[in-house]
Amino acid sequence: MVVLRKHSVTLFVARSSQQWVVMDPEGKFWILPSKEHPWEQRQPFYPTEETELEPVPGHYKYMLGLPFP
């Protein structure tokens, strides 16, 4: 049996800081800066129990230039 892995990211906004947060295909979280080419300047993000992440529609991925569909 062949298992294909979907290479996609999930986009969120952190309610407290109003920053873009991305979960990559490996399940790691990243904060994206509000700059040009944000994926290239991402910083690790470690959500806590108190972190509120609000899902964002997928069409924003293109606007942010994310490398995953």
Side-chain angles (χ1 to χ4, degrees):
M1 180 171 147
V2 176
V3 177
L4 297 176
R5 184 173 182 183
K6 186 177 179 182
H7 295 286
S8 183
V9 298
T10 306
L11 183 60
F12 302 93
V13 67
R15 286 184 165 235
S16 62
S17 64
Q18 295 298 302
Q19 291 182 293
W20 297 110
V21 176
V22 173
M23 184 175 66
D24 70 14
E26 288 82 37
K28 296 178 186 171
F29 287 92
W30 305 91
I31 288 180
L32 300 181
S34 297
K35 298 180 179 182
E36 219 174 297
H37 309 291
W39 184 252
E40 296 170 7
Q41 301 176 44
R42 67 192 182 274
Q43 297 293 315
F45 178 70
Y46 304 99
T48 65
E49 291 284 327
E50 294 80 32
T51 303
E52 291 185 55
L53 296 177
E54 184 174 328
V56 175
H59 64 270
Y60 283 94
K61 293 177 193 177
Y62 175 76
M63 181 186 85
L64 294 169
L66 297 178
F68 307 97

